[in-house]
């Protein structure tokens, strides 16, 4: 690698970057012939950091800077490389070696370049780059995934009005990326503050994707070999938990935001007030639509979990995530005056109860009724929630579930025919991109 480095030092920044990609292609193509999971040596990593991310090798040396035009040309070189590389395994390994965080000073440059590369890939619809980014989001700690999501939201929701339509069009080009993008966005916008309420354009985009085909949010789960114990600190297999959090907390979060705007000492004008009221009304309709889609997806899950032999073993809506959600609802309910926000509190609790009921019935949420009763004990009274945590008339337990777990509550009563089960599909009909399990 030292000989390659000396030859690269004599080149300009762009030709050196192109040459590094060429050498990496040869190196990893050779490695993949001997091992399906090649190890990335320090030599190639050092070359990447020095000639692509412009991190100087010598200590104390000032960092190199590309001009905006050179950076745009570098992004074009990288986009073209991933587009022209025909071997998916080589593409994935090189993308991973380029952008997997190393815990060093190059990570900031790495993440900045990744955000710009994926943003360009969205703009020009470079599907191979989007597919690589989807796998990267699946295998990278969530703290970095959230940074990429923020960069894309800034580019397509905040900087240029109307550019969200460009992002919307990738639904058919790379559904896998859309699924991972939704998961990372729901991790970013948790509605814990007014700044972390998703922008209305982003909300409308995600609801339009999911409403068109709710199974979009199951793509990663359906096409990934899964162990019952998932690693900590990474994105979840589906955005279900994040979407449930959005639907349940939205009525309270928007009321809190409205209350804060009225108490800041500057009452809005009538025009601004009418505009904000209309936007909030549109958002509430979108959350209602989203809530319906989430319930539909939860109802599909029993068949998929059974097919993968994970029913009763894998909770796609982890109970550990339900606990902080309930705590957030309780805190928001106390913060808002129940006399002035009774409808919003009732709506939030109704949605929580519906989500818990369907998630437990489908095997997506694994907990006992006693656990749920304990967690929800401090919430304001809600008739539907009380019905859910009290439990239905006892039905025969599912063989795969341990004793004490919530039984299936949608078994029809005697004398009524059973409804046909939802068909189990591991693909989205009508989408050209072939879904293949990751090997």
């Amino acid at each position: 690698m030292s000989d390659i480095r000396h030859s690269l030092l004599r080149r300009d920044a762009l030709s050196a970057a192109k040459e590094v990609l060429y050498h990496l292609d040869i190196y990893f193509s050779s490695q993949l012939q001997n091992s399906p999971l090649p190890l990335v040596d320090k030599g190639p990593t050092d070359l990447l950091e020095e000639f692509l991310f412009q991190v100087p090798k010598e200590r104390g040396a000032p960092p190199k800077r590309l001009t905006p035009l050179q950076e745009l040309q570098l992004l074009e070189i990288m986009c073209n490389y991933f587009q022209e590389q025909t071997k998916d395994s080589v593409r994935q390994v090189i993308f991973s070696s380029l952008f997997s965080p190393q815990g060093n000073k190059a990570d900031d440059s790495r993440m900045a370049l990744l955000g710009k590369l994926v943003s360009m890939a969205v703009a020009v619809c470079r599907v191979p780059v989007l597919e690589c980014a989807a796998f990267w989001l699946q295998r990278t700690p969530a703290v970095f995934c959230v940074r990429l999501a923020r960069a894309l939201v800034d580019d397509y929701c905040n900087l240029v009005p109307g550019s969200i339509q460009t992002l919307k069009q990738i639904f058919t080009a790379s559904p896998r990326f859309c699924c991972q993008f939704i998961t990372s966005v729901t991790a970013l916008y948790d509605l814990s503050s007014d700044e972390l309420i998703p922008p209305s354009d982003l909300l409308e985009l995600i609801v339009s994707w999911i409403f068109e085909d709710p199974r979009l949010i199951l793509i990663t789960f359906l096409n990934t070999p899964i162990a019952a114990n998932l690693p900590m600190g990474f994105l979840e297999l589906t955005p279900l938990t994040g979407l449930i959090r959005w639907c349940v907390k939205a009525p309270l979060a928007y009321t809190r935001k409205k209350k804060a705007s009225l108490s800041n000492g500057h009452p809005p004008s009538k025009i601004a007030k009418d505009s904000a009221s209309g936007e909030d009304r549109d958002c509430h309709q979108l959350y209602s639509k989203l809530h319906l889609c989430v319930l539909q997806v939860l109802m599909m899950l029993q068949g998929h979990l059974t097919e993968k032999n994970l029913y009763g073993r894998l909770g796609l809506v982890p109970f550990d995530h339900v606990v902080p959600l309930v705590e957030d609802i309780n805190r928001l309910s106390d913060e808002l005056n129940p006399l002035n926000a009774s409808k919003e509190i009732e709506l939030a609790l109704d949605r929580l109860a519906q989500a818990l009921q369907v998630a437990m019935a489908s095997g997506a949420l694994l907990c006992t009724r006693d656990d749920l009763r304990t967690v929800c004990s401090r919430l304001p009274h809600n008739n539907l929630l009380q019905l859910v945590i009290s439990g239905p008339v006892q039905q025969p337990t599912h063989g795969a579930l341990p004793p004490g777990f919530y039984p299936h509550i949608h078994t029809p009563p005697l004398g009524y025919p059973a409804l046909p089960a939802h068909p189990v599909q591991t693909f989205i009909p009508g989408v050209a991109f072939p879904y293949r399990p990751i090997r």
Side-chain angles (χ1 to χ4, degrees):
M1 289 292 175
S2 60
D3 293 340
I4 296 174
R5 180 176 181 271
H6 288 306
S7 69
L8 293 173
L9 287 171
R10 294 192 291 268
R11 294 175 176 267
D12 63 87
L14 292 177
S15 61
K18 197 169 186 178
E19 190 73 10
V20 167
L21 287 174
Y22 169 76
H23 285 292
L24 279 180
D25 190 280
I26 295 174
Y27 174 79
F28 283 117
S29 295
S30 173
Q31 290 270 69
L32 284 167
Q33 290 179 355
N34 304 320
S35 170
L37 295 172
L39 296 174
V40 182
D41 295 333
K42 191 174 184 299
T45 302
D46 289 344
L47 289 180
L48 286 174
E49 292 181 355
E50 185 174 3
F51 295 102
L52 260 81
F53 304 122
Q54 310 302 315
V55 177
K57 188 176 178 65
E58 295 78 14
R59 287 186 178 180
K64 302 173 185 177
R65 299 287 183 191
L66 295 178
T67 66
L69 178 59
Q70 286 178 319
E71 192 172 66
L72 182 62
Q73 291 171 323
L74 174 60
L75 293 172
E76 186 178 11
I77 288 170
M78 296 174 74
C79 259
N80 289 338
Y81 166 75
F82 287 110
Q83 186 73 20
E84 293 165 5
Q85 171 55 258
T86 56
K87 294 183 179 178
D88 187 58
S89 56
V90 176
R91 258 200 315 260
Q92 295 290 347
V93 169
I94 290 185
F95 195 93
S96 179
S97 65
L98 279 169
F99 298 114
S100 292
Q102 303 297 317
N104 57 24
K105 60 183 179 181
D107 280 352
D108 286 340
S109 300
R110 200 184 308 273
M111 290 303 302
L113 191 63
L114 173 62
K116 293 170 183 175
L117 177 65
V118 177
S119 185
M120 174 181 272
V122 170
V124 297
C125 200
R126 295 293 194 204
V127 176
V129 176
L130 296 176
E131 291 296 303
C132 288
F135 284 111
W136 182 91
L137 287 165
Q138 196 175 330
R139 300 167 181 170
T140 305
V143 63
F144 295 100
C145 300
V146 164
R147 289 176 63 177
L148 176 58
R150 188 185 294 278
L152 293 175
V153 171
D154 285 342
D155 283 352
Y156 287 97
C157 295
N158 299 333
L159 289 181
V160 183
S163 58
I164 192 74
Q165 293 302 318
T166 304
L167 185 58
K168 189 174 184 177
Q169 292 170 4
I170 65 168
F171 171 72
T172 53
S174 181
R176 192 192 299 266
F177 175 78
C178 294
C179 176
Q180 290 299 112
F181 175 69
I182 294 171
T183 308
S184 56
V185 160
T186 56
L188 169 61
Y189 292 100
D190 62 0
L191 288 84
S192 60
S193 67
D194 293 347
E195 292 74 24
L196 293 178
I197 293 176
S200 55
D201 284 350
L202 177 65
L203 174 64
E204 185 178 1
L205 166 77
I206 289 176
V207 173
S208 69
W209 281 349
I210 298 175
F211 191 76
E212 186 166 342
D213 195 324
R215 288 165 296 177
L216 171 70
I217 60 181
L218 297 180
I219 287 176
T220 302
F221 165 67
L222 294 175
N223 292 276
T224 305
I226 299 166
N229 296 319
L230 300 176
M232 299 292 289
F234 291 76
L235 292 179
E236 296 181 54
L237 276 172
T238 75
L240 278 169
T241 304
L243 293 173
I244 290 172
R245 181 169 56 238
W246 276 17
C247 297
V248 171
K249 290 178 66 175
L252 304 178
Y254 279 79
T255 304
R256 177 194 59 201
K257 181 180 178 182
K258 183 178 179 181
K259 180 181 176 182
S261 67
L262 293 174
S263 62
N264 64 6
H266 300 283
S269 65
K270 186 178 186 304
I271 296 176
K273 187 176 180 179
D274 290 345
S275 175
S277 177
E279 184 176 328
D280 284 354
R281 187 164 51 251
D282 291 342
C283 287
H284 288 312
Q285 291 174 353
L286 289 171
Y287 282 113
S288 179
K289 200 173 179 181
L290 179 61
H291 181 60
L292 173 62
C293 293
V294 169
L295 295 180
Q296 290 173 335
V297 173
L298 287 171
M299 291 175 68
M300 298 176 191
L301 276 177
Q302 184 179 5
H304 293 307
L305 288 166
T306 303
E307 183 188 52
K308 286 177 170 281
N309 196 30
L310 292 170
Y311 190 91
R313 297 173 55 223
L314 175 67
L316 288 176
V317 180
F319 183 69
D320 289 346
H321 293 188
V322 172
V323 175
L325 173 59
V326 171
E327 291 173 351
D328 286 347
I329 298 169
N330 191 54
R331 179 181 52 80
L332 281 168
S333 299
D334 289 342
E335 182 182 327
L336 300 169
N337 187 340
L339 296 176
N340 298 328
S342 58
K343 290 182 179 179
E344 290 79 6
I345 293 172
E346 189 77 6
L347 177 58
L349 294 175
D350 281 347
R351 287 180 179 174
L352 175 67
Q354 291 166 355
L356 292 176
Q357 180 185 24
V358 181
M360 288 187 292
S362 64
L365 173 61
L366 304 179
C367 67
T368 66
R369 283 174 288 175
D370 287 340
D371 291 337
L372 201 61
R373 206 174 291 125
T374 301
V375 170
C376 297
S377 61
R378 295 183 64 245
L379 288 174
H381 177 80
N382 176 270
N383 290 335
L384 182 57
L385 184 60
Q386 287 300 315
L387 180 63
V388 171
I389 63 178
S390 298
V393 176
Q394 190 71 24
Q395 303 284 347
T397 56
H398 192 287
L401 288 175
F405 275 74
Y406 204 93
H408 194 277
I409 62 175
H410 291 302
T411 304
L414 294 175
Y416 288 85
L419 295 174
H422 289 277
V424 177
Q425 294 181 333
T426 57
F427 62 92
I428 296 182
V431 176
F433 176 73
Y435 296 105
R436 299 185 299 277
I438 304 169
R439 300 296 182 190

PDB file of all heavy atoms in Angstrom, residues 16-17 48 99 119 121 149 165 173 209 230 233 260 268 302 319 335-336 343 349 352 364 367 384 414 427:
ATOM      1  N   ALA A  16      -6.762  11.178  -7.664  1.00  0.00           N
ATOM      2  CA  ALA A  16      -6.307  10.301  -6.581  1.00  0.00           C
ATOM      3  C   ALA A  16      -7.492   9.550  -5.977  1.00  0.00           C
ATOM      4  O   ALA A  16      -7.404   8.345  -5.696  1.00  0.00           O
ATOM      5  CB  ALA A  16      -5.595  11.119  -5.506  1.00  0.00           C
ATOM      6  N   ALA A  17      -8.606  10.240  -5.792  1.00  0.00           N
ATOM      7  CA  ALA A  17      -9.799   9.588  -5.246  1.00  0.00           C
ATOM      8  C   ALA A  17     -10.302   8.493  -6.189  1.00  0.00           C
ATOM      9  O   ALA A  17     -10.683   7.396  -5.749  1.00  0.00           O
ATOM     10  CB  ALA A  17     -10.891  10.620  -5.007  1.00  0.00           C
ATOM     11  N   LEU A  48      -8.285   5.499   2.159  1.00  0.00           N
ATOM     12  CA  LEU A  48      -9.599   6.140   2.046  1.00  0.00           C
ATOM     13  C   LEU A  48      -9.648   7.442   2.825  1.00  0.00           C
ATOM     14  O   LEU A  48     -10.119   8.468   2.331  1.00  0.00           O
ATOM     15  CB  LEU A  48     -10.681   5.196   2.581  1.00  0.00           C
ATOM     16  CG  LEU A  48     -11.059   4.002   1.712  1.00  0.00           C
ATOM     17  CD1 LEU A  48     -12.021   3.103   2.469  1.00  0.00           C
ATOM     18  CD2 LEU A  48     -11.699   4.468   0.418  1.00  0.00           C
ATOM     19  N   PHE A  99     -17.859   4.039   4.568  1.00  0.00           N
ATOM     20  CA  PHE A  99     -18.719   4.839   5.449  1.00  0.00           C
ATOM     21  C   PHE A  99     -19.019   4.222   6.814  1.00  0.00           C
ATOM     22  O   PHE A  99     -19.754   4.825   7.586  1.00  0.00           O
ATOM     23  CB  PHE A  99     -20.031   5.145   4.722  1.00  0.00           C
ATOM     24  CG  PHE A  99     -19.840   5.959   3.477  1.00  0.00           C
ATOM     25  CD1 PHE A  99     -20.124   5.429   2.230  1.00  0.00           C
ATOM     26  CD2 PHE A  99     -19.352   7.259   3.549  1.00  0.00           C
ATOM     27  CE1 PHE A  99     -19.942   6.176   1.071  1.00  0.00           C
ATOM     28  CE2 PHE A  99     -19.163   8.017   2.402  1.00  0.00           C
ATOM     29  CZ  PHE A  99     -19.465   7.479   1.160  1.00  0.00           C
ATOM     30  N   SER A 119     -27.933  12.043  -0.731  1.00  0.00           N
ATOM     31  CA  SER A 119     -28.812  13.107  -1.224  1.00  0.00           C
ATOM     32  C   SER A 119     -28.730  13.217  -2.744  1.00  0.00           C
ATOM     33  O   SER A 119     -29.759  13.358  -3.420  1.00  0.00           O
ATOM     34  CB  SER A 119     -28.430  14.433  -0.571  1.00  0.00           C
ATOM     35  OG  SER A 119     -29.326  15.448  -0.936  1.00  0.00           O
ATOM     36  N   ALA A 121     -27.845  10.753  -4.731  1.00  0.00           N
ATOM     37  CA  ALA A 121     -28.419   9.522  -5.270  1.00  0.00           C
ATOM     38  C   ALA A 121     -29.947   9.618  -5.327  1.00  0.00           C
ATOM     39  O   ALA A 121     -30.573   9.104  -6.252  1.00  0.00           O
ATOM     40  CB  ALA A 121     -27.999   8.328  -4.413  1.00  0.00           C
ATOM     41  N   ALA A 149     -30.319  10.654   8.425  1.00  0.00           N
ATOM     42  CA  ALA A 149     -31.726  11.042   8.252  1.00  0.00           C
ATOM     43  C   ALA A 149     -31.886  12.552   8.357  1.00  0.00           C
ATOM     44  O   ALA A 149     -32.606  13.171   7.567  1.00  0.00           O
ATOM     45  CB  ALA A 149     -32.596  10.341   9.296  1.00  0.00           C
ATOM     46  N   GLN A 165     -40.945  16.300  -3.359  1.00  0.00           N
ATOM     47  CA  GLN A 165     -41.485  15.457  -4.426  1.00  0.00           C
ATOM     48  C   GLN A 165     -40.406  14.561  -5.023  1.00  0.00           C
ATOM     49  O   GLN A 165     -40.687  13.439  -5.461  1.00  0.00           O
ATOM     50  CB  GLN A 165     -42.127  16.336  -5.514  1.00  0.00           C
ATOM     51  CG  GLN A 165     -43.377  17.070  -5.061  1.00  0.00           C
ATOM     52  CD  GLN A 165     -44.458  16.131  -4.561  1.00  0.00           C
ATOM     53  OE1 GLN A 165     -44.710  15.078  -5.153  1.00  0.00           O
ATOM     54  NE2 GLN A 165     -45.102  16.498  -3.457  1.00  0.00           N
ATOM     55  N   ALA A 173     -38.423   3.006  -6.699  1.00  0.00           N
ATOM     56  CA  ALA A 173     -37.047   2.698  -7.098  1.00  0.00           C
ATOM     57  C   ALA A 173     -36.328   1.860  -6.048  1.00  0.00           C
ATOM     58  O   ALA A 173     -35.628   0.903  -6.375  1.00  0.00           O
ATOM     59  CB  ALA A 173     -36.273   3.999  -7.352  1.00  0.00           C
ATOM     60  N   TRP A 209     -46.426   7.065   1.411  1.00  0.00           N
ATOM     61  CA  TRP A 209     -45.733   5.806   1.132  1.00  0.00           C
ATOM     62  C   TRP A 209     -46.443   4.631   1.787  1.00  0.00           C
ATOM     63  O   TRP A 209     -46.745   3.622   1.140  1.00  0.00           O
ATOM     64  CB  TRP A 209     -44.297   5.864   1.666  1.00  0.00           C
ATOM     65  CG  TRP A 209     -43.325   6.607   0.808  1.00  0.00           C
ATOM     66  CD1 TRP A 209     -43.504   7.052  -0.459  1.00  0.00           C
ATOM     67  CD2 TRP A 209     -41.990   6.974   1.184  1.00  0.00           C
ATOM     68  NE1 TRP A 209     -42.361   7.689  -0.910  1.00  0.00           N
ATOM     69  CE2 TRP A 209     -41.421   7.644   0.074  1.00  0.00           C
ATOM     70  CE3 TRP A 209     -41.221   6.818   2.331  1.00  0.00           C
ATOM     71  CZ2 TRP A 209     -40.117   8.145   0.089  1.00  0.00           C
ATOM     72  CZ3 TRP A 209     -39.928   7.310   2.351  1.00  0.00           C
ATOM     73  CH2 TRP A 209     -39.378   7.970   1.239  1.00  0.00           C
ATOM     74  N   LEU A 230     -31.952  -9.289  19.252  1.00  0.00           N
ATOM     75  CA  LEU A 230     -31.399  -8.287  18.344  1.00  0.00           C
ATOM     76  C   LEU A 230     -30.345  -7.460  19.063  1.00  0.00           C
ATOM     77  O   LEU A 230     -30.431  -7.245  20.278  1.00  0.00           O
ATOM     78  CB  LEU A 230     -32.523  -7.376  17.839  1.00  0.00           C
ATOM     79  CG  LEU A 230     -33.637  -8.084  17.066  1.00  0.00           C
ATOM     80  CD1 LEU A 230     -34.738  -7.108  16.698  1.00  0.00           C
ATOM     81  CD2 LEU A 230     -33.084  -8.738  15.808  1.00  0.00           C
ATOM     82  N   GLY A 233     -28.589  -0.808  20.399  1.00  0.00           N
ATOM     83  CA  GLY A 233     -27.964   0.389  19.855  1.00  0.00           C
ATOM     84  C   GLY A 233     -28.120   0.573  18.364  1.00  0.00           C
ATOM     85  O   GLY A 233     -27.609   1.546  17.806  1.00  0.00           O
ATOM     86  N   ALA A 260     -47.536  26.508  23.915  1.00  0.00           N
ATOM     87  CA  ALA A 260     -46.288  27.259  24.055  1.00  0.00           C
ATOM     88  C   ALA A 260     -46.301  28.512  23.204  1.00  0.00           C
ATOM     89  O   ALA A 260     -45.816  29.577  23.616  1.00  0.00           O
ATOM     90  CB  ALA A 260     -45.106  26.370  23.673  1.00  0.00           C
ATOM     91  N   PRO A 268     -50.303  35.319  17.888  1.00  0.00           N
ATOM     92  CA  PRO A 268     -50.211  35.375  16.430  1.00  0.00           C
ATOM     93  C   PRO A 268     -51.335  36.195  15.823  1.00  0.00           C
ATOM     94  O   PRO A 268     -52.399  36.367  16.414  1.00  0.00           O
ATOM     95  CB  PRO A 268     -50.322  33.897  16.023  1.00  0.00           C
ATOM     96  CG  PRO A 268     -51.083  33.256  17.136  1.00  0.00           C
ATOM     97  CD  PRO A 268     -50.702  33.995  18.382  1.00  0.00           C
ATOM     98  N   GLN A 302     -48.904 -11.818  12.622  1.00  0.00           N
ATOM     99  CA  GLN A 302     -48.943 -13.162  13.193  1.00  0.00           C
ATOM    100  C   GLN A 302     -48.517 -14.206  12.160  1.00  0.00           C
ATOM    101  O   GLN A 302     -47.736 -15.112  12.469  1.00  0.00           O
ATOM    102  CB  GLN A 302     -50.330 -13.487  13.733  1.00  0.00           C
ATOM    103  CG  GLN A 302     -50.355 -14.847  14.426  1.00  0.00           C
ATOM    104  CD  GLN A 302     -51.716 -15.201  14.990  1.00  0.00           C
ATOM    105  OE1 GLN A 302     -52.683 -14.469  14.799  1.00  0.00           O
ATOM    106  NE2 GLN A 302     -51.809 -16.301  15.695  1.00  0.00           N
ATOM    107  N   PHE A 319     -41.447  -4.473  24.578  1.00  0.00           N
ATOM    108  CA  PHE A 319     -42.093  -3.955  25.779  1.00  0.00           C
ATOM    109  C   PHE A 319     -41.234  -2.868  26.433  1.00  0.00           C
ATOM    110  O   PHE A 319     -41.763  -1.917  27.019  1.00  0.00           O
ATOM    111  CB  PHE A 319     -42.342  -5.100  26.765  1.00  0.00           C
ATOM    112  CG  PHE A 319     -43.071  -4.674  28.010  1.00  0.00           C
ATOM    113  CD1 PHE A 319     -44.402  -4.283  27.948  1.00  0.00           C
ATOM    114  CD2 PHE A 319     -42.419  -4.641  29.233  1.00  0.00           C
ATOM    115  CE1 PHE A 319     -45.076  -3.879  29.097  1.00  0.00           C
ATOM    116  CE2 PHE A 319     -43.084  -4.242  30.384  1.00  0.00           C
ATOM    117  CZ  PHE A 319     -44.413  -3.867  30.313  1.00  0.00           C
ATOM    118  N   GLU A 335     -48.772  17.676  32.188  1.00  0.00           N
ATOM    119  CA  GLU A 335     -48.305  19.010  31.782  1.00  0.00           C
ATOM    120  C   GLU A 335     -49.436  19.846  31.189  1.00  0.00           C
ATOM    121  O   GLU A 335     -49.537  21.051  31.430  1.00  0.00           O
ATOM    122  CB  GLU A 335     -47.165  18.841  30.768  1.00  0.00           C
ATOM    123  CG  GLU A 335     -46.542  20.119  30.283  1.00  0.00           C
ATOM    124  CD  GLU A 335     -45.452  19.843  29.251  1.00  0.00           C
ATOM    125  OE1 GLU A 335     -44.766  18.805  29.360  1.00  0.00           O
ATOM    126  OE2 GLU A 335     -45.296  20.662  28.329  1.00  0.00           O
ATOM    127  N   LEU A 336     -50.282  19.197  30.405  1.00  0.00           N
ATOM    128  CA  LEU A 336     -51.427  19.900  29.819  1.00  0.00           C
ATOM    129  C   LEU A 336     -52.583  19.872  30.810  1.00  0.00           C
ATOM    130  O   LEU A 336     -52.817  18.872  31.483  1.00  0.00           O
ATOM    131  CB  LEU A 336     -51.844  19.217  28.512  1.00  0.00           C
ATOM    132  CG  LEU A 336     -50.769  19.157  27.417  1.00  0.00           C
ATOM    133  CD1 LEU A 336     -51.226  18.239  26.299  1.00  0.00           C
ATOM    134  CD2 LEU A 336     -50.455  20.536  26.889  1.00  0.00           C
ATOM    135  N   LYS A 343     -60.035  16.089  25.176  1.00  0.00           N
ATOM    136  CA  LYS A 343     -60.241  15.365  23.919  1.00  0.00           C
ATOM    137  C   LYS A 343     -58.933  14.788  23.398  1.00  0.00           C
ATOM    138  O   LYS A 343     -58.885  13.654  22.918  1.00  0.00           O
ATOM    139  CB  LYS A 343     -60.863  16.293  22.871  1.00  0.00           C
ATOM    140  CG  LYS A 343     -62.305  16.677  23.150  1.00  0.00           C
ATOM    141  CD  LYS A 343     -62.864  17.557  22.023  1.00  0.00           C
ATOM    142  CE  LYS A 343     -64.314  17.930  22.285  1.00  0.00           C
ATOM    143  NZ  LYS A 343     -64.858  18.803  21.211  1.00  0.00           N
ATOM    144  N   LEU A 349     -54.950   8.144  24.371  1.00  0.00           N
ATOM    145  CA  LEU A 349     -55.134   6.893  25.112  1.00  0.00           C
ATOM    146  C   LEU A 349     -55.903   5.867  24.286  1.00  0.00           C
ATOM    147  O   LEU A 349     -55.626   4.663  24.358  1.00  0.00           O
ATOM    148  CB  LEU A 349     -55.856   7.178  26.428  1.00  0.00           C
ATOM    149  CG  LEU A 349     -55.062   8.018  27.436  1.00  0.00           C
ATOM    150  CD1 LEU A 349     -55.915   8.342  28.657  1.00  0.00           C
ATOM    151  CD2 LEU A 349     -53.789   7.299  27.872  1.00  0.00           C
ATOM    152  N   LEU A 352     -53.365   4.442  21.923  1.00  0.00           N
ATOM    153  CA  LEU A 352     -52.464   3.555  22.663  1.00  0.00           C
ATOM    154  C   LEU A 352     -53.142   2.217  22.917  1.00  0.00           C
ATOM    155  O   LEU A 352     -52.545   1.147  22.704  1.00  0.00           O
ATOM    156  CB  LEU A 352     -52.057   4.205  23.986  1.00  0.00           C
ATOM    157  CG  LEU A 352     -51.217   3.336  24.928  1.00  0.00           C
ATOM    158  CD1 LEU A 352     -49.848   3.061  24.322  1.00  0.00           C
ATOM    159  CD2 LEU A 352     -51.077   3.990  26.300  1.00  0.00           C
ATOM    160  N   ALA A 364     -46.801  -9.351  18.235  1.00  0.00           N
ATOM    161  CA  ALA A 364     -45.737  -8.356  18.052  1.00  0.00           C
ATOM    162  C   ALA A 364     -45.264  -7.782  19.384  1.00  0.00           C
ATOM    163  O   ALA A 364     -44.128  -7.341  19.510  1.00  0.00           O
ATOM    164  CB  ALA A 364     -46.228  -7.217  17.151  1.00  0.00           C
ATOM    165  N   CYS A 367     -45.864  -9.511  26.400  1.00  0.00           N
ATOM    166  CA  CYS A 367     -45.884  -9.123  27.813  1.00  0.00           C
ATOM    167  C   CYS A 367     -47.112  -9.736  28.458  1.00  0.00           C
ATOM    168  O   CYS A 367     -48.049 -10.151  27.772  1.00  0.00           O
ATOM    169  CB  CYS A 367     -45.894  -7.601  27.967  1.00  0.00           C
ATOM    170  SG  CYS A 367     -47.407  -6.809  27.390  1.00  0.00           S
ATOM    171  N   LEU A 384     -61.424   2.252  26.945  1.00  0.00           N
ATOM    172  CA  LEU A 384     -60.863   1.253  26.033  1.00  0.00           C
ATOM    173  C   LEU A 384     -59.573   0.669  26.609  1.00  0.00           C
ATOM    174  O   LEU A 384     -59.345  -0.548  26.546  1.00  0.00           O
ATOM    175  CB  LEU A 384     -60.611   1.881  24.661  1.00  0.00           C
ATOM    176  CG  LEU A 384     -60.060   0.944  23.584  1.00  0.00           C
ATOM    177  CD1 LEU A 384     -60.985  -0.250  23.372  1.00  0.00           C
ATOM    178  CD2 LEU A 384     -59.874   1.708  22.270  1.00  0.00           C
ATOM    179  N   LEU A 414     -68.265 -18.879  18.909  1.00  0.00           N
ATOM    180  CA  LEU A 414     -68.872 -20.075  18.319  1.00  0.00           C
ATOM    181  C   LEU A 414     -70.075 -19.690  17.477  1.00  0.00           C
ATOM    182  O   LEU A 414     -70.848 -18.796  17.826  1.00  0.00           O
ATOM    183  CB  LEU A 414     -69.306 -21.031  19.432  1.00  0.00           C
ATOM    184  CG  LEU A 414     -68.159 -21.647  20.266  1.00  0.00           C
ATOM    185  CD1 LEU A 414     -68.744 -22.481  21.402  1.00  0.00           C
ATOM    186  CD2 LEU A 414     -67.271 -22.494  19.378  1.00  0.00           C
ATOM    187  N   PHE A 427     -42.949  -9.832  -0.533  1.00  0.00           N
ATOM    188  CA  PHE A 427     -42.592  -8.850  -1.548  1.00  0.00           C
ATOM    189  C   PHE A 427     -43.759  -7.912  -1.717  1.00  0.00           C
ATOM    190  O   PHE A 427     -44.867  -8.176  -1.254  1.00  0.00           O
ATOM    191  CB  PHE A 427     -42.252  -9.523  -2.872  1.00  0.00           C
ATOM    192  CG  PHE A 427     -43.422 -10.291  -3.457  1.00  0.00           C
ATOM    193  CD1 PHE A 427     -44.288  -9.676  -4.353  1.00  0.00           C
ATOM    194  CD2 PHE A 427     -43.675 -11.597  -3.085  1.00  0.00           C
ATOM    195  CE1 PHE A 427     -45.372 -10.359  -4.874  1.00  0.00           C
ATOM    196  CE2 PHE A 427     -44.762 -12.283  -3.608  1.00  0.00           C
ATOM    197  CZ  PHE A 427     -45.602 -11.655  -4.503  1.00  0.00           C
TER     198      PHE A 427
END
